[in-house]
Amino acid sequence: EVQLVESGGGLVQPGGSLRLSCAASGFTFSSYSMNWVRQAPGKGLEWVSYIQNSITTKYYADSVKGRFTISRDNAKNSLYLQMNSLRDEDTAIYYCTRDGGYSYEHDHWGQGTLVTVSS
Amino acid sequence: QSALTQPASVSGSPGQSITISCTGTSSDVGGYNFVSWYQQYPGKAPKLIIYEVSSRPSGVSNRFSGSKSGNTASLTISGLQAEDEADYYCNSYRSSSTLVFGGGTKLTVL
């Protein structure tokens, strides 16, 4: 069974940093590209970042470009999101998702981790 | 990065069919067959229900179907059931090497 478990969320002040982690199991992690998707309270889904399975390609939403960095450790079956210069509008539940490999679809989702940016 | 356009809400009675539209541009929905759809219940993570415009993952009811015409993709739910009441989101690849979601549609089963 595919499992994605996020961790690392919490309360952080504006301008601060946070590192999210996603532990993957139940599939060959190194064979799949991965994403981070977020959802602000009461709002819709927003794609944040993508990393190819080979780590050679990374994409970012304009809203986080230059502040967030996606990475992965295929030996540890883990995905990461380093978030710097956090803003109030980054407050959201952050989901780790697996790319199904056909059409950039998110075929499995974690339960999410809440990041709250507030002073 | 502007979101894809979805109606804020749709409704239907049990047994009826409803369609949710997802309008983009030739740089995303119209340019690629990289459209997927998600169902989300309150407080839960989204679930993939359609990928590659019209393909269904294993285990998803055949009452859910997808299509595309030009810059607009559509999700149709036939034989509407009470359990279909949820939020629905479309997603597409965009030529600027990004992905984009629609704003979401709240489906109410009357």
Side-chain angles (χ1 to χ4, degrees), chain B residues 21-40:
Chain B
S21 61
C22 170
T23 301
T25 68
S26 57
S27 295
D28 39 62
V29 174
Y32 309 89
N33 285 330
F34 295 160
V35 176
S36 51
W37 289 90
Y38 304 85
Q39 176 189 60
Q40 186 181 33

Side-chain angles (χ1 to χ4, degrees), chain A residues 36-48 63 89-95 109, chain B residues 3-4 6-8 38-41 44-46 87-91 100-106:
Chain A
W36 288 99
V37 174
R38 68 184 181 184
Q39 186 169 34
K43 302 297 184 182
L45 301 173
E46 180 187 14
W47 170 78
V48 172
S63 57
E89 55 265 34
D90 295 319
T91 293
I93 295 173
Y94 284 74
Y95 294 103
W109 297 64
Chain B
L4 304 175
Q6 296 182 233
Y38 304 85
Q39 176 189 60
Q40 186 181 33
Y41 294 113
K44 300 294 187 184
D87 293 328
Y88 292 85
Y89 295 89
C90 60
N91 182 235
V100 60
F101 280 96
T105 299
K106 181 177 179 60

Side-chain angles (χ1 to χ4, degrees), chain A residues 34 36 49-51 58 60 68-71 79-81:
Chain A
M34 301 291 293
W36 288 99
S49 186
Y50 162 98
I51 185 167
K58 302 177 184 181
Y60 296 94
F68 289 11
T69 302
I70 192 171
S71 62
L79 175 72
Y80 306 102
L81 185 68

